[in-house]
Every structure is written in structure tokens, then in C-alpha cells.
Amino acid sequence: MCAMATRWGICATGRICNDFAVAIKTLPAEDHQIVAVAASELSQAEEFAKKHNIPKAYDSFTDMAKDPNIDVVYIGIVTAKHHEFGLLFLRAGKNVLCEKPLAMNVKEVKELISASRENDVFLMEAFWTRFFPAMYQLRQLLAEKAIGDIKGLNLEIGMKMDHVHSPSIKEIGGGALLDLGCYCVQLACMVFTGERPEVKATSILTEQGVDEVTAIILKFPSNRLATITCTTATQLHNRAVIFGTNGTIVIPTFVWCPTSLIVNGQEIEYPLPPPSLPLNYNKSTGLRYEAEEVRQCLLKGMKESPIMPLADSELVMSILCEIRRQCGVAFPQDAT
């Protein structure tokens, strides 16, 4: 690729895909270009392409997978389709940035990882949180023991999301844990540097059988705890507190897209660039950071990100699956 622009294809045209396209426009055009978009209906793809000035619109994901002018595909389709479309693009030799969670269960995650390695292409789960400047600073502070030895982590994440009561929720793959709680689990795994915890969890389920409220305790080696609450029933403070023997680090609202840290009472801010078009989600121009991580990895010939390695994706999913098992949340993909 040398130093040419990284050429993106966008898989799907939903709200997060819109925000990703807007975020890309905050990066230099000589570094990032969206060259194609695909949707199940051509009219949707053409409307999206017109809005974001994308030269090519497809009504076939298979046809976009064959496009030789695409370096990497961003998959922003519903979670239940991540595995299917991830395999499609990986097997077509495309590098892939796939929205979180990477798939529905560990089996699907392993199959995506295997496909990326068999086809010698890049794969990364789009936990955008890890790539914010605040998170780079957080990792440095923890490595330097700025708050001493870490003893624990408290996280709460909640938003009013009525779609969990939809009859189709099992088909698209959702609920408090997969939609929101996965952010907390990945953050705990990052703070505790990829160690595997003991898991205890309980949930309140909807009539559709997905979790509306889930409480989780992760016990990491050396007696360190992460306590997590996630819900789609109401708005919570959406923050995290990391505490150690010499103080605390607070990640204020919103913990999944952090633009500040409070270290022992002192706040440090990391402002985002403004969007050129309306956004669907808070602080979505922060999606630019994961896109730039992908570019830098590709320029170096890397097949995975050292910040969000595939081993972490597998670890996070194994924890999510154990939480679902304990809480009695199952999806059709679990039976295959």
C-alpha cells in the first residue's frame, strides 16, 4: 500500500455506518478514502453514497467483496450478521474492521480469526474505546502505577433502549450485555492486561429472553475485582472508577467514548474534532481513532492490532458467553 490512502468499503448503511463515514472525514483525505458502500437494497446504498460522497454503491455484499479497489471493509451490520459477512470479506482477501461484539459466541469468533489467518489478512474488533487518546493515557498511567497497585474497577453503563423488547431481538443479537456490557468487559480485560477472571453474573430478562439488567463480578488473579452493572432500562451515569492503593482514576460519562480522565481529582481533557454532518451517537467522531489504528497496522504489514489483539477478542467473548450461560440468555447461533 506504501503511503497511499487507505481505501475503505462500508458494509451496511445503518446509524453506526453513518457515524463512521462522518468520522473518516475528520481524517486527512490523503490517508483515508471511502470508495464503496454495500446494502441489501441499491436505493439504500445509493442514498448513503450520495450523502457521504462515495463513488461506488453496491446492492450485493458479494460484489463489493470482489472490488479490487478496496483495502479494508468496515462491517457495521447487526451483530447476528457479523460472522456471516466477516467470513465473506475475509475469504475474499479483504482486511476487516468489524463492529463489536465481533460475533455471537466463541465458536464464531474463532472461525473469524481462523479465516483471517488462513487468508493472511488483517482483522480487528471495533472496540473504539481503546483507541481514544484518553485510553492511551490511561494505559500509561496504569503502567506507571500512578494510583499504586490496582485493587478494583467499578463500571456502570445504561441507556434507555426499547429495542430489547422487540420480537426480533433474538434474530439481530442484542440485550444489555451485548449492546452495552461488552464495553465494560473489554475495559476490565484491558485494565487487567488480558488476565482471565472468575465470573459471577445474574440478569433480569425480558419476555423475549434477552437481558434488560445484568450485574457482573469478575475476580481477577491476585484478588482484584471488577464490578459491572449494565442495563437497557434506564440512563445511568455511564462511568468507570479504577481504584488502587494510592488513589483513583475516573473515566467520566461516557465510558465507552472517553474524552477526559480524572486522576486523583484532577481532570485532563482530550477534545474531539467537530463533525461535518449530524451524528447518531455521542462523540462518534472518535471512531476516527480506530480507523487510523487500522491504517497504521496495514502500513506496517500487521495482521492484528497490538492494542486490540485477537486474543483479547476471544477472551472478551468467552467472558460474555459465560455471563450469558449463567444468566440463561441463549441465541440461535449457540445451537450450531
Side-chain angles (χ1 to χ4, degrees):
M1 285 175 50
C2 298
M4 296 172 60
T6 300
R7 301 169 299 178
W8 291 87
I10 307 293
C11 172
T13 58
R15 291 180 292 177
I16 191 63
C17 291
N18 171 84
D19 288 10
F20 185 81
V22 174
I24 288 287
K25 294 298 177 66
T26 69
L27 294 163
E30 61 267 25
D31 292 344
H32 295 268
Q33 293 285 334
I34 303 175
V35 298
V37 60
S40 55
E41 296 182 12
L42 184 60
S43 60
Q44 294 175 340
E46 289 178 336
E47 181 181 356
F48 190 95
K50 181 179 180 181
K51 180 178 180 180
H52 296 286
N53 195 28
I54 300 170
K56 188 70 175 177
Y58 288 98
D59 62 354
S60 165
F61 298 102
T62 301
D63 286 348
M64 191 173 81
K66 297 175 183 177
D67 189 331
N69 296 314
I70 295 172
D71 298 313
V72 56
V73 174
Y74 170 75
I75 298 177
I77 206 162
V78 295
T79 302
K81 297 288 187 180
H82 287 180
H83 176 254
E84 175 188 351
F85 288 101
L87 290 179
L88 170 67
F89 291 111
L90 292 168
R91 289 170 176 169
K94 299 301 183 192
N95 302 296
V96 167
L97 172 64
C98 182
E99 261 308 328
K100 60 79 195 169
L102 186 57
M104 291 297 294
N105 54 42
V106 174
K107 177 177 179 287
E108 290 189 348
V109 166
K110 287 182 175 180
E111 288 176 352
L112 288 170
I113 293 172
S114 293
S116 71
R117 290 172 177 162
E118 289 167 4
N119 292 278
D120 195 31
V121 290
F122 177 90
L123 172 64
M124 189 177 91
E125 185 174 12
F127 271 121
W128 63 320
T129 311
R130 290 202 179 189
F131 306 98
F132 277 71
M135 289 294 99
Y136 283 90
Q137 182 65 44
L138 175 62
R139 289 189 289 269
Q140 182 177 339
L141 289 168
L142 296 179
E144 295 171 351
K145 294 197 171 185
I147 57 170
D149 296 324
I150 303 170
K151 304 302 290 183
L153 171 63
N154 294 332
L155 304 104
E156 63 170 38
I157 186 168
M159 296 179 68
K160 183 73 171 174
M161 300 172 74
D162 292 331
H163 79 286
V164 297
H165 298 285
S166 166
S168 64
I169 187 64
K170 282 288 188 83
E171 297 173 17
I172 64 176
L177 181 66
L178 292 189
D179 286 335
L180 299 173
C182 61
Y183 284 119
C184 300
V185 172
Q186 73 80 26
L187 181 59
C189 290
M190 187 194 83
V191 168
F192 294 114
T193 60
E195 298 179 24
R196 183 173 293 276
E198 299 175 16
V199 179
K200 293 188 182 299
T202 188
S203 293
I204 297 172
L205 306 185
T206 68
E207 293 181 359
Q208 289 72 28
V210 301
D211 61 315
E212 186 178 33
V213 182
T214 295
I216 306 158
I217 298 175
L218 303 178
K219 186 176 182 180
F220 289 86
S222 302
N223 290 322
R224 296 165 299 162
L225 293 178
T227 59
I228 298 168
T229 302
C230 57
T231 181
T232 56
T234 191
Q235 185 85 15
L236 297 180
H237 289 296
N238 295 313
R239 69 173 198 160
V241 180
I242 305 166
F243 55 95
T245 52
N246 293 329
T248 62
I249 299 174
V250 177
I251 308 172
T253 304
F254 296 93
V255 64
W256 59 86
C257 48
T259 52
S260 67
L261 296 174
I262 302 172
V263 184
N264 287 330
Q266 292 190 317
E267 186 167 14
I268 311 164
E269 296 187 348
Y270 306 86
L272 287 171
S276 58
L277 290 171
L279 297 169
N280 294 300
Y281 300 107
N282 288 302
K283 303 181 184 179
S284 281
T285 50
L287 292 164
R288 71 200 302 269
Y289 300 121
E290 64 180 9
E292 181 59 21
E293 171 69 8
V294 172
R295 173 174 169 78
Q296 292 305 316
C297 288
L298 294 180
L299 289 173
K300 296 170 185 173
M302 302 170 72
K303 305 305 178 184
E304 60 182 290
S305 164
I307 297 173
M308 188 63 219
L310 296 174
D312 275 20
S313 291
E314 190 171 338
L315 173 61
V316 169
M317 182 52 67
S318 70
I319 295 169
L320 296 177
C321 285
E322 175 58 19
I323 294 167
R324 288 203 291 114
R325 186 193 69 79
Q326 292 185 23
C327 296
V329 177
F331 292 95
Q333 292 83 356
D334 299 328
T336 60

